[in-house]
Amino acid sequence: MRALQNPRLFARGLNRAYHRRAGLRSENPSGIDVFTEDWDTLVVLDACRYDMFASANQLDGELTPRISKGSSTVEWLRANFSGRDLSDTVYVTANPQLERNREEWDVNLHKIINVWLEEGWDDEHGTVRAETMTDAALKANKKYPHKRLVVHYMQPHYPFVPADTDFDDDHLRKIDGNGGSPSGENVWGKKFTGNLDVSRDELWSIYLENLEYALESVETLLGEMSGKTVVTGDHGNYVGERAFPTPIREYGHPRGLYDEPLVKVPWFVYDGETRREIVAGESTESTDNVESEVVDQRLQDLGYL
């Protein structure tokens, strides 16, 4: 219904049908299988484009581009995690999407650490801060020294933690005792539908600032983590580029579109002094699911709903 009311949404649907071959594809077939690669720790920066990372990165290591299996976290998780034995892996995450889809996917990890629950959540900004994720990752590394770690930061994905803007105030939770929660679409959705009068340059700048903020914490992590660490992105993000084949200007990271801004991600390799000895082990996961209302609220805060 929304697509019929908005020609841009209709055009996005046509592009999605093209990329997914009218539903025959559920992921990007050109994408990398991250678990077949050589690493001890995989740092995932949510919605991190290769070109943006290349411009902001000041870490010492080797950077190359890779292609992601998905244009959204859900696609990336399903394509890389579902249906395989990951009993040698601990997933430390700021993103609730795995919890949201656990009943639909066959996921076998040694441990899932949902940092976005309870004390890991920043109510003011509606996200998990990067420094919180670094602390959680270092604790997990100490507790599980013989497991691979996937550390999934929320940045540079919206919301923009260090941003000082006057166009996204409705996202921030009120800190004057009145509660509050985000309302409506995030800035990418508003810009796409023509309901946000902000330049592409300004959006790029604030998005880049969110990545630079995250990289400060990633640098701390690399300095204290043993073994071989790879920093990558689960997907990228449009910032006004033309989509294909219908050349509309796109914003955000819609599922099922596999243009370069969405699937070209960094693959930054940092070699630590000593490789970890990785061993598999039985899952220690609880079968109890987190309350769906909590998951939905977190996803809404992050701009998903």
Side-chain angles (χ1 to χ4, degrees):
M1 182 64 68
R2 292 182 64 212
L4 294 177
Q5 297 172 348
N6 189 317
R8 296 179 63 81
L9 289 171
F10 181 74
R12 175 183 282 178
L14 293 177
N15 287 339
R16 180 177 289 117
Y18 169 82
H19 285 278
R20 283 188 164 174
R21 300 298 186 263
L24 296 177
R25 293 176 177 174
S26 61
E27 63 186 60
N28 178 19
S30 301
I32 182 177
D33 182 343
V34 297
F35 285 105
T36 63
E37 298 293 316
D38 180 30
W39 48 265
D40 299 313
T41 301
L42 185 70
V43 174
V44 181
L45 298 174
D46 206 301
C48 185
R49 296 167 51 133
Y50 172 78
D51 55 355
M52 176 176 285
F53 185 94
S55 70
N57 178 52
Q58 298 183 15
L59 304 172
D60 292 328
E62 180 182 354
L63 174 63
T64 56
R66 296 292 178 93
I67 300 299
S68 173
K69 283 181 173 291
S71 60
S72 69
T73 299
V74 170
E75 283 189 323
W76 182 82
L77 286 170
R78 181 179 59 235
N80 285 287
F81 283 61
S82 184
R84 66 197 312 167
D85 179 12
L86 300 175
S87 57
D88 64 349
T89 303
V90 173
Y91 181 47
V92 186
T93 182
N95 194 313
Q97 291 287 12
L98 183 61
E99 187 66 40
R100 175 72 179 276
N101 293 279
R102 283 178 71 179
E103 292 185 0
E104 300 176 26
W105 299 340
D106 177 19
V107 177
N108 180 34
L109 288 149
H110 181 71
K111 180 68 177 177
I112 302 170
I113 300 175
N114 288 318
V115 185
W116 50 271
L117 278 174
E118 300 174 357
E119 66 273 7
W121 187 255
D122 180 0
D123 277 324
E124 178 182 352
H125 292 91
T127 190
V128 178
R129 297 182 67 93
E131 54 268 30
T132 302
M133 279 301 300
T134 294
D135 290 343
L138 292 174
K139 290 177 183 177
N141 185 51
K142 185 176 181 179
K143 186 173 182 180
Y144 305 100
H146 300 298
K147 296 291 183 286
R148 298 175 103 186
L149 293 183
V150 178
V151 185
H152 194 150
Y153 287 78
M154 204 60 236
Q155 293 77 30
H157 189 285
Y158 181 89
F160 307 120
V161 173
D164 182 15
T165 72
D166 58 4
F167 60 80
D168 194 30
D169 291 343
D170 62 341
H171 176 82
L172 299 179
R173 286 184 175 277
K174 307 302 181 183
I175 56 176
D176 59 2
N178 294 326
S181 63
S183 59
E185 294 179 291
N186 64 35
V187 296
W188 303 117
K190 291 176 182 178
K191 182 64 176 176
F192 175 73
T193 56
N195 295 317
L196 182 64
D197 185 19
V198 176
S199 71
R200 294 162 60 196
D201 288 345
E202 186 172 355
L203 285 173
W204 179 270
S205 178
I206 194 174
Y207 179 30
L208 175 61
E209 188 178 0
N210 222 30
L211 173 58
E212 292 170 339
Y213 155 71
L215 287 177
E216 293 179 4
S217 290
V218 171
E219 183 175 16
T220 300
L221 180 68
L222 295 181
E224 300 188 35
M225 189 71 73
S226 62
K228 182 177 183 178
T229 300
V230 169
V231 183
T232 189
D234 53 349
H235 56 82
N237 203 93
Y238 289 113
V239 189
E241 293 83 6
R242 297 284 184 184
F244 184 84
T246 309
I248 58 170
R249 289 202 181 275
E250 271 285 5
Y251 291 86
H253 56 90
R255 298 184 193 182
L257 302 182
Y258 305 132
D259 293 321
E260 183 174 294
L262 283 187
V263 297
K264 188 176 181 179
V265 295
W267 192 261
F268 175 82
V269 179
Y270 179 87
D271 286 312
E273 294 183 0
T274 305
R275 295 298 300 266
R276 296 205 296 272
E277 180 185 357
I278 305 298
V279 296
E282 293 184 5
S283 173
T284 61
E285 275 305 291
S286 168
T287 57
D288 296 333
N289 291 327
V290 179
E291 292 184 9
S292 60
E293 292 81 2
V294 175
V295 178
D296 288 347
Q297 183 62 63
R298 295 291 192 258
L299 290 171
Q300 181 182 356
D301 288 355
L302 294 169
Y304 283 110
L305 301 178

